[in-house]
Each structure stands twice: as structure tokens, then as C-alpha cells.
Amino acid sequence: MKSYLTRRGFMQTAGAGAAVLGLSNSRPSARAFASGDGKPALLGGTPAHKGGWLKWPQWREDWEPEVLKVFRSGRWYRGSGKQVGEFESAYAKLLGARRCLATASGTTALMVSLHVMEVDAGDEVIVSPYTFIATYNAILNAKALPVFADTDPATLTIDPSTIESRVTSRTRAVMPVHIYGMPCDMDPINAVAARHKLPVIEDACQAWLAEYKGRKCGTLGDLGCFSFQESKHIPSGEGGAITGMRDELVDKCASFHDCGRPYGTVRGSGQFTRGNNYRMTQVQAVLLAQQFDKLVKETEIRRANADHLSAGLGKIPGITPVRLPENSRAVWHLFPWRYDAQQFHGLPREKFIRALQAEGVPCSGGYHEQYYDGLIDEAIASRGFKRLFNAERLKAYRGSFQELKGNRQVCETTVAITQNLLLAERGDLDQIIEAVAKIHTHSAALAGS
Ligand SMILES: Cc1ncc(COP(=O)(O)O)c(C=O)c1O
């Protein structure tokens, strides 16, 4: 049986990558070929990768003095200290945004942005279906309908050409999602939104420092939303942010997220206006502010290692790395590829995933068709939604999920590994490529087992 990656090919690719990166951990090791053409682990062979992967999140002792200082000060709430404000200025600077507002989470960042963009009960928001469920829920929380545009199977992000046909008289906003840290193709998205005078809210909850045509995600639409939840590249347990280029919009966000207190250009009569408490605490802010250098450095490592994986995996028939929009740079919260079972003797994706896991490579199928999970059905069957939308619209809306052919294809054929694997040594990354090549070589036996 033939392996698609010769030992020399491995060494050359790994060596070139190491030179570009200048990383001390980039040695192409003999360990990468430990199991060579051997039997897949699922059939009793030796796993391609032994030992674990980097644990996430990470804690650094040198963050502790600043964190303790806040705890000891007793000034924990944003109104009684300056750390949240300092974090906001620094994060805005890091992204090249005019302003930033810290929030309690990514979900609350989305909720505040939707409110400020005047998404109201009975409205519709055009959104990517290929996302974490919080994106759907933030829209439903506003008693608005998440209307799904299709996913482009090549990019895994919203297909801009499928937005316009979804615009109705009730559409109030467009919400592209830079999923897995891969920038959406924002120029055509902004163009269609502008044609219909719709604001664009970027769900950049997985896209810290991702870039599109020289600008960072979160600065490409009207408002951008970020998450700092524990699994994220820059985590604080919970936490979020809204970025924007227009003062009056971010002032509105600031007021609404702080119980409707007057803020900046939002003065009203000096009284509270409508709003809720979606504030970040000082402790979250000091934790986040100390991670900027780490984020920047690790982003470069993930990028270089993702390029290395794309080059290696892309040589294996049936594995297609994701295409990014021209002149854009992803940050890879997950590193996905598309899997073609036909090129693996019909080995079902679920079994491919099991086989790869058995090789010591944690992986998953990414998001599934969540609009069939009952969450949307429950929402549109509720008293409120039935009052807000007529039966005909809700029926057509529910029926329209069938049109999401690109998204279905993506949900059925994607395989992904998480970001912490991209911080591993080159030798370990080569073992991922080796594991997939091994599964391919033995796919007939695996499919029949
Ligand atoms: C794409 C996306 N949107 C929204 C959210 C919500 O963020 P949070 O968990 O901070 O509320 C997340 C978090 O995982 C996300 O990945």
C-alpha cells in the first residue's frame, strides 16, 4: 500500500515551515514517522500521536499580581475602577478600531449591538447558519427571526450571493460570522447591505486579530462582537467586547449595557433610558489586558502551523483545506477541512473521525444543522412569535431551511481540530498529517471493519 507522504516530503515541508517560523519547537522529528505506514490504531495499530496536547486555557503566574491588586482593592465593578476602560482603549488600538466597549460575554455583545441597531420584535436579521448557537439565540432574544443565508462550502462562511434574495420589508440587519476565525468576504456583504440600507453586525466572537484586506475583523461592518469565554484565544472565563468606528453607536452600546445610564452622546434628560446590565468586571479586564502579547505571538504560530497542515493535508486525496477570501488572514479558532468519503472507499465521516481520534488526534465534525434541533421550532411556536409574524411567513421561513444546500454539505463533510493543537511542535503536527494519510491508505479496510 502506498503512503501519499513520503518521509522525504515530510522532512522538506517541515523544514521549510520551520525556517519561515524561526521556531525553536519546529524540529522535524523522527517521532513524526513513528508509526509510518503501519496499521491504523482503530484496527489495532500504534497511534500516530502519543501523549497529550496543550491544555487550554493557560495560566501564567506573572499575571497574578495585577489580578490580586484588583481583588485587594475591593474595586471590582467597572464603575469604581479604571481597568475596564484601559482594556477597552488597548483592545481598540490592537484592532485599529475607533472604540471598544467591554461586555459580560460575546452573547451580550451581540444582544447590545442588535438593540443599538434597532432590531426589534417582529424584525428579521440575515445571518450565517454555520455558527455557535449563541448567534441564533441573540437574534431570537430580540424576538426577531434569524433568516439564514447559505454557507459557501469552499469558505465555510456566509455566501454573499445568497443574502439579497432573503431581504424582506422586515429585514433590519445582516450578521456575518467569521467562523473558526476565518474572515467572511466582507466587500460583497457590505455592498448588498448598503444597497438595502442595512447595518452590518460582525459576529467576530472567534476572530480576534483576523484580517480582511488589511483591516481587522470587528472593524469591517458597523459593529463587531467578540467573546473572551474560556475556550477562546484570549480568555477571561467569560467576557466580551463590541468594537466600532462611530462614536455615537458605541456610546449607545455603552449606555444600553449599563442599565441605560446616560453616556457620552446619549444624555437624554439625564435620566436612565432603556438598558440592562451587561458589564464586564475589573478582574476580567486585567486578565485580558495582560494577554495581548501572548495573543499576538500565538496567532502567528497558529497561522504558520495551519499553513503547514494545509500543505500536508491538501496532498491527501479527499482532504480539501478551506479557501480564505483574497488578501485575508485567519486566526484558526478551529482548523477545519472538508472530507470526501468517496476518496476514502466510502468510509463515513463519523468513522473517519473515530479513526483519527484513535490516532491520538482530537477532532470533531464541527457544527451540524442546528436549525432542525427544535430550538427554532419552539421559538416560532411561541405566543410572542405567533403574534409578531403571520402563519404564512412562519411556514415559509421554516420551509426555507431546505434551501440551505451549501450549509448542509458543510455540516456533513467538515472535520476540524481545535486551536490548541496548532500550538504544538512541528513534529506533533506532522503526526496529524501522518494519521490522516494512514487512514487514507487503509480506508478500504477501515470502511469494511
Ligand atoms: C461565533 C460565536 N458567537 C457568539 C458566541 C457567544 O459568546 P459567549 O460564549 O462569550 O457568550 C460564541 C462563543 O463561543 C461564538 O463562538
Side-chain angles (χ1 to χ4, degrees), residues 105-108 110 131-132 134-135 177 179 203 205-206 226-229 231-232 238-239 333 367:
S105 64
T107 303
T108 51
L110 291 171
T131 182
F132 180 56
T135 317
V177 183
I179 203 66
D203 182 335
C205 282
Q206 300 183 5
F226 292 86
S227 167
F228 306 120
Q229 179 270 341
S231 65
K232 304 302 194 288
E238 300 287 0
H333 185 48
Y367 299 110

Side-chain angles (χ1 to χ4, degrees), residues 40-371:
L42 205 58
L43 298 179
T46 310
H49 177 82
K50 288 188 181 152
W53 300 90
L54 185 77
K55 292 234 177 341
W56 201 265
Q58 294 174 304
W59 181 250
R60 298 228 170 129
E61 273 182 26
D62 60 0
W63 297 339
E64 291 176 9
E66 287 300 313
V67 173
L68 273 177
K69 215 192 284 176
V70 175
F71 276 128
R72 287 177 177 150
S73 73
R75 296 172 178 274
W76 304 338
Y77 142 74
R78 86 162 281 163
S80 64
K82 55 183 176 19
Q83 287 85 353
V84 178
E86 285 170 357
F87 162 73
E88 289 170 341
S89 304
Y91 194 65
K93 194 164 165 215
L94 185 68
L95 263 55
R98 182 167 167 77
R99 290 274 299 280
C100 166
L101 173 80
T103 59
S105 64
T107 303
T108 51
L110 291 171
M111 286 161 60
V112 171
S113 300
L114 287 163
H115 173 83
V116 164
M117 290 309 184
E118 297 178 15
V119 172
D120 209 341
D123 287 339
E124 299 179 4
V125 175
I126 299 177
V127 64
S128 170
Y130 197 70
T131 182
F132 180 56
I133 204 70
T135 317
Y136 297 17
N137 276 329
I139 298 167
L140 291 171
N141 183 70
K143 296 281 184 273
L145 268 192
V147 173
F148 302 113
D150 207 358
T151 305
D152 179 346
T155 63
L156 270 56
T157 54
I158 195 165
D159 178 345
S161 72
T162 65
I163 294 175
E164 193 141 39
S165 62
R166 268 106 176 152
V167 175
T168 71
S169 58
R170 296 205 178 190
T171 309
R172 284 289 172 277
V174 180
M175 189 182 276
V177 183
H178 306 298
I179 203 66
Y180 300 159
M182 304 182 300
C184 298
D185 195 359
M186 290 303 292
D187 281 352
I189 296 169
N190 283 333
V192 67
R195 266 202 302 283
H196 295 274
K197 299 191 168 48
L198 297 169
V200 174
I201 302 169
E202 298 172 71
D203 182 335
C205 282
Q206 300 183 5
W208 331 259
L209 303 183
E211 282 176 36
Y212 177 81
K213 302 192 176 172
R215 283 161 60 199
K216 301 275 194 302
C217 289
T219 69
L220 303 162
D222 292 274
L223 291 172
C225 298
F226 292 86
S227 167
F228 306 120
Q229 179 270 341
E230 185 168 284
S231 65
K232 304 302 194 288
H233 295 193
I234 169 165
S236 54
E238 300 287 0
I242 301 171
T243 47
M245 304 306 270
R246 279 151 58 196
D247 285 326
E248 87 279 6
L249 277 183
V250 185
D251 284 352
K252 281 185 186 167
C253 293
S255 173
F256 185 70
H257 107 297
D258 190 15
C259 306
R261 277 198 171 75
Y263 189 93
T265 49
V266 186
R267 301 224 159 267
S269 54
Q271 309 291 331
F272 283 83
T273 54
R274 209 148 45 106
N276 292 303
N277 175 2
Y278 299 124
R279 295 183 299 255
M280 178 180 275
T281 65
Q282 307 286 13
V283 177
Q284 288 164 293
V286 289
L287 201 47
L288 291 167
Q290 294 187 91
Q291 295 184 57
F292 285 7
D293 288 348
K294 181 173 180 286
L295 174 70
V296 169
K297 279 192 199 120
E298 288 177 345
T299 298
E300 287 311 314
I301 295 172
R302 287 189 195 95
R303 280 178 174 148
N305 282 339
D307 287 350
H308 181 72
L309 280 184
S310 290
L313 292 173
K315 291 191 186 117
I316 302 169
I319 302 293
T320 310
V322 172
R323 177 168 62 72
L324 297 174
E326 209 176 302
N327 197 5
S328 66
R329 304 179 80 200
V331 295
W332 308 114
H333 185 48
L334 267 72
F335 176 82
W337 62 82
R338 299 273 313 289
Y339 170 73
D340 179 0
Q342 292 203 335
Q343 301 280 342
F344 281 71
H345 291 94
L347 180 71
R349 179 186 62 157
E350 281 56 43
K351 197 156 180 193
F352 170 87
I353 289 171
R354 280 214 313 280
L356 193 52
Q357 288 168 343
E359 297 296 337
V361 181
C363 60
S364 74
Y367 299 110
H368 63 279
E369 289 192 280
Q370 301 167 105
Y371 33 80

